[in-house]
Amino acid sequence: MPPLTALRAFAATAREGGFSAAARKLNVTHAAIAQQVRALEAELGVPLVWRDGKHLHLTPEGESFAQALGEGFATIQTAAEALRAHGAEKPLAVTVPPAFASEWLMPRLARFWKKHPDIALSLLPDPRLVELREVGANLGIRFGVGKWRGVVSEFLTAAPQVVVAAPELLGGRTKLSLREMSVLPWIREGDWPEQMQLLESIGLIPAALKFVDFPNEELALSAAREGIGLHLETEALIVEDLKLGWLVKIHELTEESLGYYIVRPPGPINPTARIFIDWLKTEA
């Protein structure tokens, strides 16, 4: 295939009737168009244009080639427009940790739709670290330190970890020593192995603790609200619980590198995704 720039230059020359008009159309210089057309003629081994004084004409070969290029570019344009229309019609798919979706995102979504009623969203709750393209997602929200291979990440909000419990479990206390925390039951999430490392960072010995196990964060959080045990949770997800007194914060971890990040595939970002990202940041 000849270079695309040369093909575009010749197609514009044939369509506009000259080098100068083609140059204005493509926002380049007259000399650049002429050079591209000459290079294309040299590569194909046939003349495509000829001059009659100030007028530029196409050779028979140039006429035939210009028609083929016009049809080819029209086909490409039609396909591109169809893809854009298809992308505009599809909901913006966002993969998100289930607890973050229910505790942080859902209470705010009404405000998003009030500002952008024309944007459809498809939330894909999944506790796993999924590949965006595999699940058909435009964006994702991930918990961690912001470094994942194969995606562009943008910081959304800090995620300090806190130890919380229902008031009835604490018996009126608002602070607990390490010894007091070690004798109370703990709630453990089956899909969060890093939880044990964080408990160790507090000074606790996980092997010596009594755990009540739940398969995921949503059930673990519900159990904590019912007073079943102490629970390590992201503070951003329990702001209302703390405000209303349903849970009491008894310890805060000093780990500052953890946060929630917006992730997307590398490359251009569609306008709808950019609108949603900007809105998320205003809510954080």
Side-chain angles (χ1 to χ4, degrees):
M1 282 287 290
L4 179 60
T5 52
L7 296 176
R8 290 183 69 228
F10 174 67
T13 298
R15 186 175 60 252
E16 303 298 326
F19 292 153
S20 296
R24 288 192 295 271
K25 195 72 174 180
L26 298 181
N27 198 28
V28 296
T29 65
H30 175 283
I33 294 291
Q35 184 179 3
Q36 290 286 354
V37 173
R38 298 303 178 209
L40 183 60
E41 289 179 319
E43 178 163 335
L44 297 176
V46 294
L48 300 173
V49 299
W50 61 280
R51 281 195 173 278
D52 176 15
K54 293 184 178 180
H55 301 290
L56 190 76
H57 303 279
L58 300 181
T59 65
E61 294 84 359
E63 290 275 6
S64 177
F65 195 46
Q67 182 178 349
L69 284 178
E71 293 170 356
F73 283 130
T75 299
I76 293 171
Q77 182 176 348
T78 300
E81 289 171 353
L83 286 174
R84 289 192 190 101
H86 179 65
E89 292 169 1
K90 286 179 62 178
L92 184 69
V94 184
T95 178
V96 58
F100 185 89
S102 60
E103 304 297 333
W104 193 94
L105 186 56
M106 291 304 296
R108 293 166 167 80
L109 268 185
R111 292 197 287 272
F112 175 75
W113 278 317
K114 188 174 181 180
K115 290 184 68 174
H116 305 285
D118 55 323
I119 295 180
L121 288 178
S122 175
L123 298 183
L124 309 173
D126 198 321
R128 300 169 303 151
L129 194 66
V130 297
E131 291 292 335
L132 299 181
R133 289 191 172 97
E134 262 184 40
V135 297
N138 306 98
L139 302 173
I141 295 174
R142 290 182 181 175
F143 172 76
V145 297
K147 296 179 180 178
W148 297 279
R149 296 175 66 179
V151 295
V152 177
S153 64
E154 298 183 38
F155 177 77
L156 176 58
T157 184
Q161 303 297 298
V162 293
V163 179
V164 296
E168 55 266 30
L169 182 68
L170 298 174
R173 294 170 292 180
T174 57
K175 296 291 180 184
L176 295 179
S177 67
L178 284 177
R179 183 179 179 282
E180 289 171 322
M181 283 193 279
S182 66
V183 299
L184 286 173
W186 281 80
I187 294 165
R188 179 165 56 187
E189 301 170 24
D191 59 359
W192 187 22
E194 295 84 3
Q195 181 180 18
M196 298 300 100
Q197 299 170 10
L198 292 173
L199 291 178
E200 287 179 356
S201 73
I202 297 174
L204 295 168
I205 303 173
L209 300 177
K210 177 185 176 183
F211 288 105
V212 183
D213 292 317
F214 290 89
N216 55 51
E217 189 174 10
E218 304 96 295
L219 292 178
L221 186 52
S222 296
R225 290 168 179 150
E226 294 301 319
I228 292 175
L230 302 177
H231 182 45
L232 184 63
E233 185 56 88
T234 303
E235 188 170 9
L237 304 186
I238 53 171
V239 172
E240 284 299 307
D241 292 272
L242 297 174
K243 182 179 177 181
L244 297 172
W246 296 341
L247 292 172
V248 177
K249 179 169 64 173
I250 60 174
H251 188 84
E252 184 168 346
L253 277 69
T254 56
E255 173 61 63
E256 297 179 354
S257 62
L258 296 173
Y260 284 100
Y261 291 79
I262 305 161
V263 297
R264 60 179 176 83
I269 180 170
N270 72 56
T272 301
R274 185 77 262 171
I275 289 171
F276 187 63
I277 290 173
D278 292 342
W279 173 80
L280 283 171
K281 290 181 175 181
T282 64
E283 292 288 327

